Amino acid sequence: MQVKFYSGNIACAEGAIAAGCRFFAGYPITPSSEIAEHMALRLPQVGGIFIQMEDELASMAAILGASWGGAKAMTATSGPGFSLMQENIGLGAMTETPCVVVNVQRAGPSTGMPTLVGQADVMQARWGSHGDYEIIALSPSSPQECFDLTIRAFNLAEEYRVPVIVLMDESVSHMFEKVIIPPKEKIRIVNRKKPRVPPDEFLPYKADDFIPPMACAGEGYSVHVTGLTHDEKGYPQATSPEVQERLVRRLCDKIRKNERKMRDIEEYEMEDAEIAIVSFGTTARSAKAAVKFARKKGYKVGLIRLKTIWPFPDEYFESLDGIKKFLVVEVNYGQIKLEVERNVGKNRVELLPKMGGEIHTPEEIYKKIREVLQWK
Amino acid sequence: MRIEIKFGGFGGQGIITMGHIAGKACIYDERNVVFTPSYGPEARGGAASSNIVISDEEIDYPYVTYPDILVVMSQEAYEKYAPLLKEEGLLIIDEDLVRLKNGEGRVAKIPATRIAENLGKRIVTNIVMLGFFTGVTKLISYDAIKKAVLETVPAKFKELNEKALDEGYKRGIEWQEE
């Protein structure tokens, strides 16, 4: 075990390396630049490849290619770059390419506030590319979690064959804190499922349990990668609604039907809570401080911190009958709020938004708790 | 108990490095710590600050709002941050760089830049100040800060930095004894 003093960005890069990432393609952008910088230093030391691309479209394309070449691959960016990556994120979803995309959120829209925090790319992370697909997104609240959840992101990407988004925010990316690096043998690593049949019997998109085994280029199996609607052989079937039906249903269901397995929630003081704050990322730290303060005053307030944001834990929220009000605290104008509302009903949800540039203070949240208590 | 510390000065003085070293030292002392450097378009000469929260409990909100200890190495930083200092807080200044206005509470002064120049290199001013801060506040152990300094600075400047740290620390202890 090693104890380090890392920023969220460096912890994320180290997490990637610990997870087995050996290919990084990126185009540095504030506030994610230290990830690229650190990967440029570290990857050559572990026999990996770092490449600075001409832009974010190419960066995303490069990591898809690297993944099909057999590598665990990652890119890191922020809002404007994340927008440019969307087309190829969709290609990654369609071609079921394991990869990790880190988005260190700054305040937007557009170039917005390059050096300051935002949490407004939540919905973009889900459906930023066109067409119907499901994706996985994780949200760390500390440098330690930047390390841990980046490893988890790689494991989920490999297991479900999907691009996984690590939705960091500027605050956690630049915050330095203690990070414990476990010994290598203590870190759980998942690798993509490989074909078990001989090459002449292999159908690259035939899935028995939603997720087909993946053969990479050069392993002796036929590899066919296309963004067009494709059958189990990987051949384009761009005029067959039946093939489209089967494929897109499977792309979505492999995530939706496994939500329980990916669920990752920190509950704090929820046992007897009547009001639950829902938050994620750095903002959840302020929310926790506010809950502690409210508890001292005798208010029955708890915290639900989402570490896995997508797929959204619908069943979990549906089961929280005892909660009178949900107070969603996020640095945007109400994105996770929509998801909570969808599950528990509009009249049980309150929002404490912030447009970006700073996170909420515990005082602001506490004040809102008092307000909600009077309404309940 | 939660203690909030802010280091302020201009870019190029090593303000961010100071915060980073102090934060690292807290880890060696096995205390909870969060360090957040100011982050913006400021280049050399602009305003820079380092923010540190130390606690024996879990640190939730990571930022410094009203510092218990404010260390300033420029007039601009003094004027900007001194109004935020807690009433019973401690102000630490480079006495050659900061001219105090009236109504200060507890103040500890050191000619850090001058000391560094006398040691041969002005670049170690921040380490002199860090030593002074450590001696005055006793928030970080001497062993931890020394370890963190020596680990951070380039190998060929270790001796110089150690001298700078010790000189500052000595003056900090002297200030305390007064």
Side-chain angles (χ1 to χ4, degrees):
Chain A
M1 186 188 92
Q2 286 177 290
V3 178
K4 298 286 184 184
F5 189 52
Y6 280 159
S7 68
N9 276 340
I10 294 174
C12 166
E14 285 293 331
I17 290 185
C21 173
R22 291 298 179 268
F23 185 91
F24 183 100
Y27 188 82
I29 178 172
T30 298
S32 75
S33 299
E34 294 86 1
I35 299 176
E37 196 181 347
H38 198 70
M39 289 304 256
L41 172 78
R42 290 284 281 122
L43 275 174
Q45 294 172 354
V46 295
I49 292 168
F50 171 89
I51 180 164
Q52 181 166 328
M53 300 300 290
E54 66 267 34
D55 59 32
E56 287 86 350
L57 287 85
S59 302
M60 192 61 216
I63 69 164
L64 296 182
S67 184
W68 278 99
K72 291 191 183 178
M74 177 170 102
T75 186
T77 189
S78 186
F82 195 51
S83 292
L84 294 175
M85 287 178 183
Q86 291 306 325
E87 181 182 355
N88 281 332
I89 289 175
L91 180 63
M94 185 59 142
T95 56
E96 301 180 70
T97 310
C99 60
V100 173
V101 179
V102 183
N103 174 14
V104 182
Q105 296 169 96
R106 61 196 222 185
S110 191
T111 28
M113 305 172 94
T115 62
L116 297 176
V117 67
Q119 291 183 321
D121 305 346
V122 174
M123 284 299 174
Q124 186 190 22
R126 180 174 193 177
W127 278 324
S129 201
H130 57 274
D132 223 346
Y133 63 97
E134 291 282 343
I135 211 148
I136 301 169
L138 313 178
S139 167
S141 286
S142 64
Q144 180 71 57
E145 278 187 0
C146 290
F147 180 84
D148 296 341
L149 293 188
T150 302
I151 295 174
R152 185 166 157 78
F154 272 97
N155 288 346
L156 291 170
E158 293 286 314
E159 187 172 354
Y160 293 98
R161 286 192 60 181
V162 70
V164 176
I165 316 294
V166 182
L167 260 188
M168 287 169 52
D169 56 55
E170 183 276 332
S171 291
V172 79
S173 81
H174 288 134
M175 171 195 305
F176 282 75
E177 218 168 14
K178 180 169 82 178
V179 176
I180 293 170
I181 314 281
K184 215 176 160 189
E185 62 276 13
K186 289 269 166 76
I187 297 175
R188 186 176 163 263
I189 302 289
V190 177
N191 293 311
R192 58 194 72 167
K193 209 162 50 178
K194 289 283 166 194
R196 289 213 186 122
V197 295
D200 56 339
E201 290 169 32
F202 180 59
L203 294 170
Y205 296 92
K206 184 175 185 303
D208 297 326
D209 60 346
F210 293 120
I211 305 139
M214 183 171 176
C216 293
E219 290 177 353
Y221 290 83
S222 57
V223 170
H224 198 124
V225 188
T226 174
L228 287 170
T229 296
H230 44 273
D231 60 18
E232 292 179 336
K233 287 180 181 163
Y235 294 173
Q237 296 285 355
T239 56
S240 166
E242 291 79 20
V243 173
Q244 168 77 1
E245 180 79 18
R246 235 182 2 253
L247 176 63
V248 177
R249 258 183 198 275
R250 185 172 61 73
L251 292 181
C252 294
D253 284 346
K254 72 176 176 182
I255 307 298
R256 287 186 190 180
K257 292 198 190 295
N258 285 307
E259 182 277 318
R260 186 72 191 84
K261 285 194 220 161
M262 292 178 245
R263 193 179 295 172
D264 196 2
I265 294 165
E266 184 200 348
E267 286 188 334
Y268 180 71
E269 298 278 15
M270 283 294 290
E271 300 76 29
D272 62 339
E274 291 176 358
I275 292 180
I277 299 183
V278 181
S279 197
F280 57 95
T282 318
T283 314
R285 297 173 70 120
S286 295
K288 197 170 192 179
V291 168
K292 284 179 185 172
F293 193 70
R295 281 279 169 180
K296 273 188 198 151
K297 300 277 177 185
Y299 302 131
K300 289 185 174 168
V301 183
L303 170 68
I304 297 166
R305 178 166 74 89
L306 302 172
K307 293 159 79 176
T308 297
I309 292 190
W310 306 122
F312 198 77
D314 289 351
E315 275 172 26
Y316 167 80
F317 276 94
E318 280 168 13
S319 73
L320 297 172
D321 299 327
I323 303 297
K324 295 196 175 86
K325 281 275 185 193
F326 292 85
L327 170 59
V328 184
V329 182
E330 51 188 335
V331 184
N332 61 54
Y333 211 170
Q335 297 192 10
I336 286 295
K337 171 206 160 225
L338 296 173
E339 291 301 295
V340 180
E341 275 183 355
R342 191 168 57 73
N343 285 292
V344 306
K346 263 188 171 176
N347 53 354
R348 286 167 75 202
V349 182
E350 291 292 331
L351 173 68
L352 181 62
K354 194 176 267 287
M355 299 312 122
E358 60 180 10
I359 60 166
H360 301 73
T361 63
E363 290 75 17
E364 285 173 295
I365 300 170
Y366 176 69
K367 221 177 115 195
K368 185 71 183 178
I369 292 171
R370 291 281 305 269
E371 229 178 275
V372 172
L373 275 161
Q374 276 152 22
W375 293 346
K376 75 165 187 197
Chain B
M1 201 176 89
R2 181 185 172 106
I3 300 163
E4 299 190 357
I5 305 159
K6 191 185 267 294
F7 297 105
F10 36 82
Q13 278 181 317
I15 299 291
I16 307 294
T17 308
M18 267 172 101
H20 187 257
I21 293 173
K24 213 184 217 182
C26 292
I27 300 286
Y28 297 144
D29 278 339
E30 292 181 0
R31 303 189 73 179
N32 293 325
V33 63
V34 179
F35 159 58
T36 47
S38 65
Y39 187 73
E42 52 258 4
R44 190 186 169 88
S49 77
S50 276
N51 301 283
I52 292 174
V53 180
I54 305 177
S55 180
D56 295 319
E57 286 148 38
E58 181 185 12
I59 298 169
D60 299 317
Y61 185 65
Y63 293 111
V64 168
T65 29
Y66 301 109
D68 299 275
I69 296 156
L70 173 64
V71 182
V72 282
M73 292 170 63
S74 76
Q75 190 67 24
E76 191 192 335
Y78 164 69
E79 279 170 25
K80 192 170 169 193
Y81 301 127
L84 300 175
L85 184 63
K86 285 201 184 104
E87 219 167 285
E88 65 283 16
L90 173 66
L91 177 67
I92 301 177
I93 62 166
D94 184 320
E95 62 186 63
D96 293 340
L97 298 178
V98 176
R99 198 162 32 84
L100 292 178
K101 300 187 167 171
N102 296 328
E104 299 301 341
R106 288 196 301 149
V107 183
K109 305 174 189 180
I110 182 173
T113 310
R114 221 187 315 151
I115 291 169
E117 280 168 355
N118 290 339
L119 287 170
K121 269 203 191 304
R122 200 165 67 174
I123 200 159
V124 295
T125 303
N126 59 340
I127 305 298
V128 174
M129 192 52 120
L130 203 51
F132 187 63
F133 162 82
T134 307
V136 165
T137 65
K138 294 287 181 110
L139 282 171
I140 300 171
S141 73
Y142 174 77
D143 290 345
I145 197 82
K146 188 170 160 182
K147 188 178 168 196
V149 167
L150 296 183
E151 223 181 61
T152 306
V153 302
K156 62 177 177 178
F157 294 117
K158 276 190 179 168
E159 204 181 314
L160 175 67
N161 278 283
E162 197 175 338
K163 263 192 213 161
L165 182 75
D166 285 350
E167 185 58 32
Y169 184 74
K170 194 184 83 191
R171 299 216 184 193
I173 298 293
E174 283 167 14
W175 181 87
Q176 254 211 347
E177 284 163 358
E178 276 168 31

PDB file of all heavy atoms in Angstrom, chain B residues 129-152:
ATOM      1  N   MET B 129       9.663  31.049   4.352  1.00  0.00           N
ATOM      2  CA  MET B 129       8.344  31.366   4.889  1.00  0.00           C
ATOM      3  C   MET B 129       7.649  30.127   5.435  1.00  0.00           C
ATOM      4  O   MET B 129       6.994  30.170   6.485  1.00  0.00           O
ATOM      5  CB  MET B 129       7.501  32.023   3.786  1.00  0.00           C
ATOM      6  CG  MET B 129       6.230  32.650   4.281  1.00  0.00           C
ATOM      7  SD  MET B 129       6.484  33.805   5.656  1.00  0.00           S
ATOM      8  CE  MET B 129       5.868  35.330   4.987  1.00  0.00           C
ATOM      9  N   LEU B 130       7.816  29.022   4.735  1.00  0.00           N
ATOM     10  CA  LEU B 130       7.205  27.769   5.165  1.00  0.00           C
ATOM     11  C   LEU B 130       7.792  27.316   6.508  1.00  0.00           C
ATOM     12  O   LEU B 130       7.064  26.845   7.397  1.00  0.00           O
ATOM     13  CB  LEU B 130       7.449  26.703   4.091  1.00  0.00           C
ATOM     14  CG  LEU B 130       6.511  25.510   4.010  1.00  0.00           C
ATOM     15  CD1 LEU B 130       5.058  25.933   3.976  1.00  0.00           C
ATOM     16  CD2 LEU B 130       6.846  24.698   2.762  1.00  0.00           C
ATOM     17  N   GLY B 131       9.109  27.481   6.654  1.00  0.00           N
ATOM     18  CA  GLY B 131       9.762  27.159   7.926  1.00  0.00           C
ATOM     19  C   GLY B 131       9.228  28.039   9.041  1.00  0.00           C
ATOM     20  O   GLY B 131       8.915  27.570  10.144  1.00  0.00           O
ATOM     21  N   PHE B 132       9.103  29.323   8.739  1.00  0.00           N
ATOM     22  CA  PHE B 132       8.588  30.285   9.722  1.00  0.00           C
ATOM     23  C   PHE B 132       7.164  29.920  10.131  1.00  0.00           C
ATOM     24  O   PHE B 132       6.835  29.848  11.315  1.00  0.00           O
ATOM     25  CB  PHE B 132       8.640  31.695   9.117  1.00  0.00           C
ATOM     26  CG  PHE B 132       8.291  32.789  10.086  1.00  0.00           C
ATOM     27  CD1 PHE B 132       9.062  33.029  11.219  1.00  0.00           C
ATOM     28  CD2 PHE B 132       7.187  33.615   9.853  1.00  0.00           C
ATOM     29  CE1 PHE B 132       8.747  34.060  12.107  1.00  0.00           C
ATOM     30  CE2 PHE B 132       6.859  34.639  10.731  1.00  0.00           C
ATOM     31  CZ  PHE B 132       7.640  34.861  11.859  1.00  0.00           C
ATOM     32  N   PHE B 133       6.350  29.643   9.126  1.00  0.00           N
ATOM     33  CA  PHE B 133       4.956  29.232   9.355  1.00  0.00           C
ATOM     34  C   PHE B 133       4.899  28.002  10.277  1.00  0.00           C
ATOM     35  O   PHE B 133       4.102  27.939  11.214  1.00  0.00           O
ATOM     36  CB  PHE B 133       4.295  28.936   8.003  1.00  0.00           C
ATOM     37  CG  PHE B 133       3.038  28.115   8.077  1.00  0.00           C
ATOM     38  CD1 PHE B 133       1.822  28.716   8.372  1.00  0.00           C
ATOM     39  CD2 PHE B 133       3.065  26.734   7.847  1.00  0.00           C
ATOM     40  CE1 PHE B 133       0.661  27.960   8.438  1.00  0.00           C
ATOM     41  CE2 PHE B 133       1.918  25.973   7.915  1.00  0.00           C
ATOM     42  CZ  PHE B 133       0.710  26.592   8.220  1.00  0.00           C
ATOM     43  N   THR B 134       5.779  27.057  10.004  1.00  0.00           N
ATOM     44  CA  THR B 134       5.785  25.815  10.791  1.00  0.00           C
ATOM     45  C   THR B 134       6.175  26.097  12.244  1.00  0.00           C
ATOM     46  O   THR B 134       5.540  25.597  13.178  1.00  0.00           O
ATOM     47  CB  THR B 134       6.765  24.800  10.174  1.00  0.00           C
ATOM     48  OG1 THR B 134       6.440  24.643   8.798  1.00  0.00           O
ATOM     49  CG2 THR B 134       6.674  23.444  10.856  1.00  0.00           C
ATOM     50  N   GLY B 135       7.215  26.928  12.422  1.00  0.00           N
ATOM     51  CA  GLY B 135       7.671  27.265  13.762  1.00  0.00           C
ATOM     52  C   GLY B 135       6.635  28.057  14.546  1.00  0.00           C
ATOM     53  O   GLY B 135       6.418  27.817  15.730  1.00  0.00           O
ATOM     54  N   VAL B 136       5.985  28.977  13.855  1.00  0.00           N
ATOM     55  CA  VAL B 136       5.022  29.856  14.525  1.00  0.00           C
ATOM     56  C   VAL B 136       3.747  29.105  14.909  1.00  0.00           C
ATOM     57  O   VAL B 136       3.236  29.235  16.006  1.00  0.00           O
ATOM     58  CB  VAL B 136       4.675  31.068  13.607  1.00  0.00           C
ATOM     59  CG1 VAL B 136       3.429  31.779  14.098  1.00  0.00           C
ATOM     60  CG2 VAL B 136       5.846  32.028  13.538  1.00  0.00           C
ATOM     61  N   THR B 137       3.240  28.311  13.986  1.00  0.00           N
ATOM     62  CA  THR B 137       1.911  27.715  14.206  1.00  0.00           C
ATOM     63  C   THR B 137       1.965  26.336  14.846  1.00  0.00           C
ATOM     64  O   THR B 137       0.981  25.919  15.461  1.00  0.00           O
ATOM     65  CB  THR B 137       1.145  27.569  12.877  1.00  0.00           C
ATOM     66  OG1 THR B 137       1.852  26.629  12.052  1.00  0.00           O
ATOM     67  CG2 THR B 137       1.027  28.887  12.154  1.00  0.00           C
ATOM     68  N   LYS B 138       3.049  25.612  14.638  1.00  0.00           N
ATOM     69  CA  LYS B 138       3.179  24.231  15.147  1.00  0.00           C
ATOM     70  C   LYS B 138       2.043  23.323  14.651  1.00  0.00           C
ATOM     71  O   LYS B 138       1.711  22.333  15.299  1.00  0.00           O
ATOM     72  CB  LYS B 138       3.220  24.221  16.681  1.00  0.00           C
ATOM     73  CG  LYS B 138       4.452  24.888  17.259  1.00  0.00           C
ATOM     74  CD  LYS B 138       5.684  24.014  17.054  1.00  0.00           C
ATOM     75  CE  LYS B 138       6.941  24.616  17.626  1.00  0.00           C
ATOM     76  NZ  LYS B 138       7.464  23.966  18.775  1.00  0.00           N
ATOM     77  N   LEU B 139       1.473  23.684  13.521  1.00  0.00           N
ATOM     78  CA  LEU B 139       0.394  22.850  12.979  1.00  0.00           C
ATOM     79  C   LEU B 139       0.951  21.610  12.289  1.00  0.00           C
ATOM     80  O   LEU B 139       0.260  20.608  12.125  1.00  0.00           O
ATOM     81  CB  LEU B 139      -0.438  23.650  11.972  1.00  0.00           C
ATOM     82  CG  LEU B 139      -1.435  24.635  12.561  1.00  0.00           C
ATOM     83  CD1 LEU B 139      -2.014  25.511  11.461  1.00  0.00           C
ATOM     84  CD2 LEU B 139      -2.541  23.892  13.289  1.00  0.00           C
ATOM     85  N   ILE B 140       2.200  21.742  11.850  1.00  0.00           N
ATOM     86  CA  ILE B 140       2.855  20.637  11.145  1.00  0.00           C
ATOM     87  C   ILE B 140       4.137  20.342  11.921  1.00  0.00           C
ATOM     88  O   ILE B 140       4.788  21.268  12.411  1.00  0.00           O
ATOM     89  CB  ILE B 140       3.194  21.048   9.699  1.00  0.00           C
ATOM     90  CG1 ILE B 140       1.913  21.425   8.934  1.00  0.00           C
ATOM     91  CG2 ILE B 140       3.950  19.949   8.966  1.00  0.00           C
ATOM     92  CD1 ILE B 140       2.153  22.050   7.582  1.00  0.00           C
ATOM     93  N   SER B 141       4.496  19.070  12.008  1.00  0.00           N
ATOM     94  CA  SER B 141       5.730  18.747  12.732  1.00  0.00           C
ATOM     95  C   SER B 141       6.940  19.126  11.880  1.00  0.00           C
ATOM     96  O   SER B 141       6.871  19.135  10.642  1.00  0.00           O
ATOM     97  CB  SER B 141       5.758  17.262  13.075  1.00  0.00           C
ATOM     98  OG  SER B 141       5.997  16.506  11.902  1.00  0.00           O
ATOM     99  N   TYR B 142       8.037  19.423  12.541  1.00  0.00           N
ATOM    100  CA  TYR B 142       9.257  19.794  11.812  1.00  0.00           C
ATOM    101  C   TYR B 142       9.711  18.650  10.908  1.00  0.00           C
ATOM    102  O   TYR B 142      10.083  18.875   9.758  1.00  0.00           O
ATOM    103  CB  TYR B 142      10.372  20.172  12.803  1.00  0.00           C
ATOM    104  CG  TYR B 142      11.695  20.415  12.122  1.00  0.00           C
ATOM    105  CD1 TYR B 142      11.935  21.604  11.426  1.00  0.00           C
ATOM    106  CD2 TYR B 142      12.695  19.443  12.146  1.00  0.00           C
ATOM    107  CE1 TYR B 142      13.139  21.813  10.768  1.00  0.00           C
ATOM    108  CE2 TYR B 142      13.905  19.642  11.485  1.00  0.00           C
ATOM    109  CZ  TYR B 142      14.119  20.821  10.803  1.00  0.00           C
ATOM    110  OH  TYR B 142      15.303  21.022  10.136  1.00  0.00           O
ATOM    111  N   ASP B 143       9.663  17.429  11.428  1.00  0.00           N
ATOM    112  CA  ASP B 143      10.112  16.278  10.628  1.00  0.00           C
ATOM    113  C   ASP B 143       9.293  16.124   9.355  1.00  0.00           C
ATOM    114  O   ASP B 143       9.825  15.824   8.290  1.00  0.00           O
ATOM    115  CB  ASP B 143      10.003  14.990  11.460  1.00  0.00           C
ATOM    116  CG  ASP B 143      11.032  14.955  12.577  1.00  0.00           C
ATOM    117  OD1 ASP B 143      11.981  15.768  12.521  1.00  0.00           O
ATOM    118  OD2 ASP B 143      10.876  14.136  13.499  1.00  0.00           O
ATOM    119  N   ALA B 144       7.989  16.331   9.491  1.00  0.00           N
ATOM    120  CA  ALA B 144       7.108  16.155   8.328  1.00  0.00           C
ATOM    121  C   ALA B 144       7.367  17.228   7.278  1.00  0.00           C
ATOM    122  O   ALA B 144       7.469  16.935   6.077  1.00  0.00           O
ATOM    123  CB  ALA B 144       5.647  16.188   8.769  1.00  0.00           C
ATOM    124  N   ILE B 145       7.528  18.463   7.716  1.00  0.00           N
ATOM    125  CA  ILE B 145       7.725  19.542   6.733  1.00  0.00           C
ATOM    126  C   ILE B 145       9.082  19.376   6.054  1.00  0.00           C
ATOM    127  O   ILE B 145       9.218  19.587   4.848  1.00  0.00           O
ATOM    128  CB  ILE B 145       7.552  20.948   7.388  1.00  0.00           C
ATOM    129  CG1 ILE B 145       7.338  22.020   6.295  1.00  0.00           C
ATOM    130  CG2 ILE B 145       8.748  21.369   8.223  1.00  0.00           C
ATOM    131  CD1 ILE B 145       5.966  22.130   5.776  1.00  0.00           C
ATOM    132  N   LYS B 146      10.073  18.949   6.837  1.00  0.00           N
ATOM    133  CA  LYS B 146      11.403  18.753   6.257  1.00  0.00           C
ATOM    134  C   LYS B 146      11.370  17.647   5.210  1.00  0.00           C
ATOM    135  O   LYS B 146      11.902  17.795   4.107  1.00  0.00           O
ATOM    136  CB  LYS B 146      12.403  18.410   7.367  1.00  0.00           C
ATOM    137  CG  LYS B 146      13.835  18.375   6.880  1.00  0.00           C
ATOM    138  CD  LYS B 146      14.786  18.280   8.041  1.00  0.00           C
ATOM    139  CE  LYS B 146      16.145  17.767   7.580  1.00  0.00           C
ATOM    140  NZ  LYS B 146      17.064  17.613   8.698  1.00  0.00           N
ATOM    141  N   LYS B 147      10.718  16.568   5.555  1.00  0.00           N
ATOM    142  CA  LYS B 147      10.604  15.454   4.615  1.00  0.00           C
ATOM    143  C   LYS B 147       9.913  15.910   3.323  1.00  0.00           C
ATOM    144  O   LYS B 147      10.364  15.602   2.215  1.00  0.00           O
ATOM    145  CB  LYS B 147       9.819  14.315   5.275  1.00  0.00           C
ATOM    146  CG  LYS B 147       9.798  13.034   4.478  1.00  0.00           C
ATOM    147  CD  LYS B 147       9.045  11.937   5.213  1.00  0.00           C
ATOM    148  CE  LYS B 147       8.801  10.774   4.252  1.00  0.00           C
ATOM    149  NZ  LYS B 147       7.788   9.853   4.712  1.00  0.00           N
ATOM    150  N   ALA B 148       8.828  16.668   3.495  1.00  0.00           N
ATOM    151  CA  ALA B 148       8.059  17.110   2.326  1.00  0.00           C
ATOM    152  C   ALA B 148       8.872  18.081   1.465  1.00  0.00           C
ATOM    153  O   ALA B 148       8.831  18.021   0.232  1.00  0.00           O
ATOM    154  CB  ALA B 148       6.750  17.749   2.775  1.00  0.00           C
ATOM    155  N   VAL B 149       9.634  18.970   2.115  1.00  0.00           N
ATOM    156  CA  VAL B 149      10.459  19.926   1.356  1.00  0.00           C
ATOM    157  C   VAL B 149      11.511  19.170   0.563  1.00  0.00           C
ATOM    158  O   VAL B 149      11.663  19.362  -0.655  1.00  0.00           O
ATOM    159  CB  VAL B 149      11.142  20.954   2.299  1.00  0.00           C
ATOM    160  CG1 VAL B 149      12.233  21.729   1.562  1.00  0.00           C
ATOM    161  CG2 VAL B 149      10.119  21.928   2.875  1.00  0.00           C
ATOM    162  N   LEU B 150      12.254  18.299   1.241  1.00  0.00           N
ATOM    163  CA  LEU B 150      13.362  17.609   0.583  1.00  0.00           C
ATOM    164  C   LEU B 150      12.887  16.701  -0.542  1.00  0.00           C
ATOM    165  O   LEU B 150      13.595  16.471  -1.515  1.00  0.00           O
ATOM    166  CB  LEU B 150      14.196  16.829   1.606  1.00  0.00           C
ATOM    167  CG  LEU B 150      14.887  17.717   2.648  1.00  0.00           C
ATOM    168  CD1 LEU B 150      15.750  16.890   3.585  1.00  0.00           C
ATOM    169  CD2 LEU B 150      15.742  18.817   1.984  1.00  0.00           C
ATOM    170  N   GLU B 151      11.668  16.204  -0.404  1.00  0.00           N
ATOM    171  CA  GLU B 151      11.129  15.341  -1.444  1.00  0.00           C
ATOM    172  C   GLU B 151      10.711  16.139  -2.679  1.00  0.00           C
ATOM    173  O   GLU B 151      10.674  15.609  -3.788  1.00  0.00           O
ATOM    174  CB  GLU B 151       9.890  14.652  -0.877  1.00  0.00           C
ATOM    175  CG  GLU B 151       9.807  13.209  -1.211  1.00  0.00           C
ATOM    176  CD  GLU B 151       8.544  12.658  -0.620  1.00  0.00           C
ATOM    177  OE1 GLU B 151       7.448  13.123  -0.984  1.00  0.00           O
ATOM    178  OE2 GLU B 151       8.667  11.773   0.229  1.00  0.00           O
ATOM    179  N   THR B 152      10.383  17.406  -2.463  1.00  0.00           N
ATOM    180  CA  THR B 152       9.818  18.210  -3.542  1.00  0.00           C
ATOM    181  C   THR B 152      10.893  18.944  -4.359  1.00  0.00           C
ATOM    182  O   THR B 152      10.776  19.061  -5.570  1.00  0.00           O
ATOM    183  CB  THR B 152       8.821  19.239  -2.954  1.00  0.00           C
ATOM    184  OG1 THR B 152       7.865  18.536  -2.169  1.00  0.00           O
ATOM    185  CG2 THR B 152       8.108  20.014  -4.052  1.00  0.00           C
TER     186      THR B 152
END
